[in-house]
Amino acid sequence: MARSLPLPTWPNGADVGVSLTFDVDAEAGWLGVSDAYEDRLATLSEGRFGIVRGLPRILDLLAERRIPATFYVPGDTVERHTDAVRAILDAGHEIAHHGHRHLSGDRIDADAQRQELEQGLEAMRSQLGLRPVGYRAPGGRLTRTTFELLVELGFTYDSSCMGDDRPYVEEWGGSSLLELPFHWSLDDWPHFGWSLDAGAAGPADQSAFLNVWLAEFESALAERRHVTYTMHPEVIGRGYRMATLRRFLDVIDDTATVCYLTHRELAGTVTVTSPDG
Ligand SMILES: [Zn+2]
């Protein structure tokens, strides 16, 4: 179930809202799929590329454009690459929760789902001194159990669901939570992500990717709504793809006055009304 909300009005005469979000999966993105990846050094090294090359490139671009962004980070990444994650925080961006070991909620029991959330929170508290307010499910696999735990643990918003293309309230059982929706077409992984095991067709032409993202931007502009774009440092952080991201920002900034917000800021612009009005 879901409940619609009024569209936010954008500050300073902006025409449209955009959130750039980055899931910093690093090694956890693979290790969360299977422990067998512990011995797959080449695969793990691709996750590490996101930290070594992707993340600095992303932070440089965001600083140059003065764009605040939201980074969804597994606790494992916080512990494994603490300095790199601290650099995100020091640059003024939002850090949000993305599990601990990047385990898919639908493949683990209720106790393990609670552990994923609590260990991720503890990693952020102990290493960074912060308490995240937002959550995105690893692999987009949000379960009823995790949803109820998010409400119990006091999270402000989730960004795992696709029930609307505007911020809305996601409702399951008796629980409800602000949803800042994402979509697979607006995620870099289905366009460029590839693995030895998945048997996918292979990375897309970057111009096709650019066209999809621009087309969605134009539709959001026409409706004066908001779009969330989702990226992974190891995916978008390759040199030619960063050039495409830069071109994307050039075009949308030439087209309209864009209000860039973190998800936490977006949540602050949304008026969550009660079910009765
Ligand atoms: Zn992820």
Side-chain angles (χ1 to χ4, degrees):
M1 291 296 292
R3 190 150 43 86
S4 297
L5 294 171
L7 274 182
T9 42
W10 307 116
N12 306 319
D15 304 307
V16 61
V18 167
S19 293
L20 302 183
T21 67
F22 300 88
D23 297 356
V24 192
D25 294 346
E27 290 92 334
W30 297 105
L31 295 172
V33 174
S34 165
D35 290 338
Y37 282 101
E38 284 283 3
D39 205 31
R40 292 269 291 268
L41 298 189
T43 301
L44 292 180
S45 75
E46 187 181 13
R48 205 174 58 240
F49 176 92
I51 300 294
V52 175
R53 293 294 277 158
L55 198 50
R57 283 173 167 160
I58 290 162
L59 291 177
D60 283 352
L61 178 61
L62 295 176
E64 185 190 312
R65 305 293 178 113
R66 297 172 186 269
I67 296 175
T70 297
F71 291 75
Y72 289 90
V73 189
D76 182 89
T77 302
V78 173
E79 290 175 349
R80 211 181 278 263
H81 303 290
T82 308
D83 289 348
V85 179
R86 197 171 284 127
I88 298 170
L89 207 52
D90 290 347
H93 302 295
E94 178 189 8
I95 304 266
H97 200 301
H98 193 44
H100 184 64
R101 294 178 57 212
H102 203 272
L103 300 177
S104 296
D106 59 344
R107 293 177 186 157
I108 54 178
D109 65 20
D111 286 346
Q113 290 182 63
R114 178 181 288 277
Q115 213 173 25
E116 272 287 286
L117 284 171
E118 290 181 346
Q119 288 182 341
L121 286 172
E122 177 55 22
M124 294 201 187
R125 189 199 63 77
S126 63
Q127 304 297 320
L128 304 171
L130 82 87
R131 168 90 188 191
V133 299
Y135 175 82
R136 176 176 284 156
R141 292 184 173 89
L142 182 67
T143 67
R144 283 172 202 269
T145 300
T146 295
F147 185 83
E148 284 165 8
L149 286 167
L150 293 176
V151 175
E152 177 193 319
L153 293 167
F155 279 82
T156 303
Y157 70 84
D158 171 69
S159 179
S160 313
C161 295
M162 295 166 273
D164 201 320
D165 54 10
R166 305 160 296 182
Y168 70 102
V169 176
E170 189 69 56
E171 296 175 326
W172 287 106
S175 302
S176 62
L177 188 59
L178 175 62
E179 182 66 37
L180 308 179
F182 98 113
H183 191 261
W184 292 111
S185 61
L186 309 174
D187 182 315
D188 61 356
W189 183 265
H191 294 278
F192 294 124
W194 187 84
S195 84
L196 283 170
D197 308 306
D205 181 327
Q206 70 273 20
S207 60
F209 161 80
L210 179 63
N211 287 338
V212 169
W213 281 30
L214 286 175
E216 179 65 2
F217 174 79
E218 283 163 15
S219 80
L221 178 59
E223 296 177 347
R224 301 184 70 82
R225 63 175 159 81
H226 173 270
V227 194
T228 289
Y229 294 99
T230 298
M231 292 162 272
H232 300 74
E234 72 273 29
V235 176
I236 200 71
R238 307 303 307 190
Y240 76 97
R241 297 174 191 163
M242 284 303 296
T244 307
L245 176 59
R246 184 177 288 274
R247 201 148 54 240
F248 169 72
L249 296 175
D250 285 344
V251 174
I252 68 174
D253 284 330
D254 281 350
T255 307
T257 303
V258 180
C259 175
Y260 292 99
L261 330 88
T262 66
H263 268 177
R264 183 179 197 147
E265 289 168 335
L266 176 63
T269 69
V270 175
T271 308
V272 180
T273 52
S274 72
D276 301 326

